[in-house]
CSV table of all heavy atoms in Angstrom, one decimal:
chain,number,residue,atom,x,y,z
A,10,THR,N,72.8,112.1,112.1
A,10,THR,CA,72.7,112.7,110.8
A,10,THR,C,73.9,113.7,110.6
A,10,THR,O,74.5,113.7,109.5
A,10,THR,CB,71.4,113.5,110.7
A,10,THR,OG1,70.3,112.6,110.7
A,10,THR,CG2,71.3,114.3,109.4
A,11,SER,N,74.3,114.4,111.6
A,11,SER,CA,75.4,115.3,111.6
A,11,SER,C,76.7,114.5,111.4
A,11,SER,O,77.6,114.9,110.7
A,11,SER,CB,75.5,116.2,112.8
A,11,SER,OG,74.6,117.2,112.8
A,12,ALA,N,76.8,113.4,112.1
A,12,ALA,CA,78.0,112.5,112.1
A,12,ALA,C,78.2,112.0,110.7
A,12,ALA,O,79.4,112.0,110.2
A,12,ALA,CB,77.9,111.4,113.1
A,13,VAL,N,77.2,111.5,110.0
A,13,VAL,CA,77.3,111.0,108.6
A,13,VAL,C,77.8,112.1,107.7
A,13,VAL,O,78.7,112.0,106.8
A,13,VAL,CB,76.0,110.4,108.1
A,13,VAL,CG1,76.1,110.0,106.7
A,13,VAL,CG2,75.6,109.2,109.0
A,14,LEU,N,77.2,113.3,107.9
A,14,LEU,CA,77.6,114.5,107.1
A,14,LEU,C,79.0,114.8,107.3
A,14,LEU,O,79.8,115.0,106.3
A,14,LEU,CB,76.7,115.6,107.4
A,14,LEU,CG,76.9,117.0,106.6
A,14,LEU,CD1,76.6,116.8,105.1
A,14,LEU,CD2,76.0,118.1,107.2
A,15,MET,N,79.4,114.9,108.6
A,15,MET,CA,80.8,115.2,108.9
A,15,MET,C,81.8,114.1,108.4
A,15,MET,O,82.9,114.4,108.1
A,15,MET,CB,80.9,115.4,110.4
A,15,MET,CG,80.2,116.6,111.0
A,15,MET,SD,80.8,118.2,110.3
A,15,MET,CE,79.4,118.6,109.2
A,16,LEU,N,81.3,112.9,108.4
A,16,LEU,CA,82.2,111.8,108.0
A,16,LEU,C,82.6,112.0,106.5
A,16,LEU,O,83.8,112.0,106.2
A,16,LEU,CB,81.4,110.5,108.1
A,16,LEU,CG,82.1,109.2,107.4
A,16,LEU,CD1,83.4,108.9,108.1
A,16,LEU,CD2,81.1,108.1,107.4
A,17,VAL,N,81.7,112.3,105.7
A,17,VAL,CA,82.0,112.5,104.3
A,17,VAL,C,82.8,113.8,104.1
A,17,VAL,O,83.8,113.8,103.3
A,17,VAL,CB,80.7,112.5,103.4
A,17,VAL,CG1,81.1,112.7,101.9
A,17,VAL,CG2,79.9,111.2,103.6
A,18,LEU,N,82.3,114.9,104.7
A,18,LEU,CA,83.0,116.1,104.6
A,18,LEU,C,84.5,116.0,105.0
A,18,LEU,O,85.4,116.6,104.4
A,18,LEU,CB,82.3,117.2,105.4
A,18,LEU,CG,81.3,118.1,104.6
A,18,LEU,CD1,80.1,117.2,104.1
A,18,LEU,CD2,80.8,119.2,105.5
A,19,ASN,N,84.7,115.3,106.1
A,19,ASN,CA,86.1,115.3,106.6
A,19,ASN,C,86.9,114.3,105.9
A,19,ASN,O,88.1,114.5,105.7
A,19,ASN,CB,86.0,114.9,108.1
A,19,ASN,CG,85.6,116.1,109.0
A,19,ASN,OD1,86.2,117.1,109.0
A,19,ASN,ND2,84.5,115.9,109.7
A,20,LEU,N,86.4,113.1,105.5
A,20,LEU,CA,87.2,112.2,104.7
A,20,LEU,C,87.6,112.8,103.4
A,20,LEU,O,88.7,112.7,102.9
A,20,LEU,CB,86.4,110.9,104.5
A,20,LEU,CG,86.3,110.0,105.7
A,20,LEU,CD1,85.5,108.7,105.4
A,20,LEU,CD2,87.7,109.5,106.2
A,21,PHE,N,86.6,113.4,102.7
A,21,PHE,CA,86.9,113.9,101.3
A,21,PHE,C,87.6,115.3,101.4
A,21,PHE,O,88.5,115.6,100.7
A,21,PHE,CB,85.6,114.0,100.5
A,21,PHE,CG,85.8,114.3,99.1
A,21,PHE,CD1,86.2,113.3,98.2
A,21,PHE,CD2,85.7,115.6,98.6
A,21,PHE,CE1,86.4,113.6,96.8
A,21,PHE,CE2,85.8,115.9,97.2
A,21,PHE,CZ,86.2,114.9,96.4
A,22,GLY,N,87.1,116.1,102.3
A,22,GLY,CA,87.6,117.5,102.4
A,22,GLY,C,88.9,117.6,103.2
A,22,GLY,O,90.0,117.8,102.7
A,23,LEU,N,88.8,117.3,104.5
A,23,LEU,CA,89.9,117.4,105.4
A,23,LEU,C,90.9,116.3,105.1
A,23,LEU,O,92.2,116.5,105.1
A,23,LEU,CB,89.5,117.3,106.9
A,23,LEU,CG,90.5,117.2,107.9
A,23,LEU,CD1,91.4,118.5,107.9
A,23,LEU,CD2,89.9,117.1,109.3
A,24,GLY,N,90.4,115.1,104.8
A,24,GLY,CA,91.4,114.0,104.5
A,24,GLY,C,92.1,114.1,103.2
A,24,GLY,O,93.3,113.9,103.2
A,25,LEU,N,91.4,114.4,102.1
A,25,LEU,CA,92.0,114.4,100.8
A,25,LEU,C,92.5,115.8,100.4
A,25,LEU,O,93.5,115.9,99.6
A,25,LEU,CB,91.1,113.8,99.8
A,25,LEU,CG,90.7,112.3,99.9
A,25,LEU,CD1,89.8,111.9,98.8
A,25,LEU,CD2,92.0,111.5,99.8
A,26,GLY,N,91.8,116.8,100.8
A,26,GLY,CA,92.1,118.2,100.4
A,26,GLY,C,93.6,118.5,100.6
A,26,GLY,O,94.3,118.7,99.7
A,27,PRO,N,94.0,118.7,101.9
A,27,PRO,CA,95.4,119.0,102.1
A,27,PRO,C,96.4,118.0,101.6
A,27,PRO,O,97.5,118.4,101.1
A,27,PRO,CB,95.5,119.1,103.7
A,27,PRO,CG,94.1,119.4,104.1
A,27,PRO,CD,93.2,118.6,103.1
A,28,PHE,N,96.1,116.7,101.7
A,28,PHE,CA,97.0,115.7,101.2
A,28,PHE,C,97.2,115.7,99.7
A,28,PHE,O,98.3,115.7,99.2
A,28,PHE,CB,96.5,114.3,101.7
A,28,PHE,CG,97.3,113.2,101.1
A,28,PHE,CD1,98.6,112.9,101.6
A,28,PHE,CD2,96.8,112.3,100.2
A,28,PHE,CE1,99.3,111.9,101.1
A,28,PHE,CE2,97.6,111.3,99.7
A,28,PHE,CZ,98.8,111.0,100.2
A,29,VAL,N,96.1,115.8,99.0
A,29,VAL,CA,96.2,115.8,97.5
A,29,VAL,C,96.9,117.1,97.1
A,29,VAL,O,97.7,117.1,96.1
A,29,VAL,CB,94.8,115.7,96.9
A,29,VAL,CG1,94.9,116.0,95.3
A,29,VAL,CG2,94.2,114.4,97.1
A,30,THR,N,96.6,118.2,97.7
A,30,THR,CA,97.3,119.5,97.4
A,30,THR,C,98.8,119.4,97.6
A,30,THR,O,99.6,119.8,96.8
A,30,THR,CB,96.7,120.6,98.2
A,30,THR,OG1,95.3,120.7,98.0
A,30,THR,CG2,97.3,122.0,97.8
A,31,GLY,N,99.2,118.8,98.8
A,31,GLY,CA,100.6,118.6,99.0
A,31,GLY,C,101.3,117.6,98.1
A,31,GLY,O,102.4,117.9,97.6
A,32,LEU,N,100.6,116.6,97.7
A,32,LEU,CA,101.1,115.6,96.8
A,32,LEU,C,101.2,116.2,95.4
A,32,LEU,O,102.3,116.0,94.7
A,32,LEU,CB,100.1,114.4,96.7
A,32,LEU,CG,100.6,113.2,95.9
A,32,LEU,CD1,101.8,112.6,96.5
A,32,LEU,CD2,99.5,112.1,95.8
A,33,LEU,N,100.2,117.0,95.0
A,33,LEU,CA,100.3,117.7,93.7
A,33,LEU,C,101.5,118.7,93.7
A,33,LEU,O,102.2,118.8,92.7
A,33,LEU,CB,99.0,118.4,93.4
A,33,LEU,CG,98.9,119.1,92.0
A,33,LEU,CD1,99.1,118.1,90.9
A,33,LEU,CD2,97.5,119.8,91.9
A,34,SER,N,101.7,119.4,94.8
A,34,SER,CA,102.8,120.3,94.9
A,34,SER,C,104.1,119.6,94.7
A,34,SER,O,105.0,120.0,94.0
A,34,SER,CB,102.7,121.0,96.2
A,34,SER,OG,103.8,121.9,96.4
A,35,ASP,N,104.3,118.5,95.4
A,35,ASP,CA,105.5,117.7,95.3
A,35,ASP,C,105.8,117.2,93.9
A,35,ASP,O,106.9,117.2,93.4
A,35,ASP,CB,105.5,116.5,96.3
A,35,ASP,CG,105.8,116.9,97.7
A,35,ASP,OD1,106.3,118.0,97.9
A,35,ASP,OD2,105.4,116.1,98.6
A,36,THR,N,104.7,116.8,93.2
A,36,THR,CA,104.8,116.3,91.9
A,36,THR,C,105.2,117.4,90.9
A,36,THR,O,106.0,117.2,90.0
A,36,THR,CB,103.4,115.7,91.4
A,36,THR,OG1,103.0,114.6,92.3
A,36,THR,CG2,103.5,115.1,90.0
A,37,LEU,N,104.6,118.6,91.1
A,37,LEU,CA,104.9,119.7,90.2
A,37,LEU,C,106.3,120.2,90.3
A,37,LEU,O,106.8,120.8,89.4
A,37,LEU,CB,103.8,120.8,90.4
A,37,LEU,CG,102.4,120.5,89.9
A,37,LEU,CD1,101.5,121.7,90.3
A,37,LEU,CD2,102.4,120.3,88.4
A,38,VAL,N,106.8,120.1,91.5
A,38,VAL,CA,108.2,120.5,91.8
A,38,VAL,C,109.2,119.8,90.8
A,38,VAL,O,110.1,120.5,90.3
A,38,VAL,CB,108.6,120.3,93.2
A,38,VAL,CG1,110.1,120.5,93.4
A,38,VAL,CG2,107.9,121.2,94.1
A,39,ALA,N,109.0,118.5,90.6
A,39,ALA,CA,109.8,117.8,89.7
A,39,ALA,C,109.8,118.3,88.3
A,39,ALA,O,110.8,118.2,87.5
A,39,ALA,CB,109.5,116.3,89.7
A,40,HIS,N,108.6,118.8,87.9
A,40,HIS,CA,108.4,119.3,86.5
A,40,HIS,C,108.7,120.8,86.3
A,40,HIS,O,109.1,121.2,85.2
A,40,HIS,CB,107.0,119.0,86.0
A,40,HIS,CG,106.7,117.5,86.0
A,40,HIS,ND1,107.2,116.7,85.0
A,40,HIS,CD2,106.0,116.7,86.8
A,40,HIS,CE1,106.8,115.4,85.2
A,40,HIS,NE2,106.1,115.4,86.3
């Protein structure tokens, strides 16, 4: 149960959070 919870939290939170923020930062630099 903890592993399933951590799977979603980490894929969406840890996986996408820093990456999307960095990608958005790179995109905004151009504009």
Side-chain angles (χ1 to χ4, degrees):
T10 298
S11 286
V13 173
L14 181 62
M15 294 298 109
L16 169 68
V17 180
L18 266 63
N19 285 302
L20 284 179
F21 191 78
L23 177 59
L25 293 180
F28 175 69
V29 170
T30 303
L32 187 63
L33 182 59
S34 177
D35 283 342
T36 303
L37 290 175
V38 167
H40 298 283

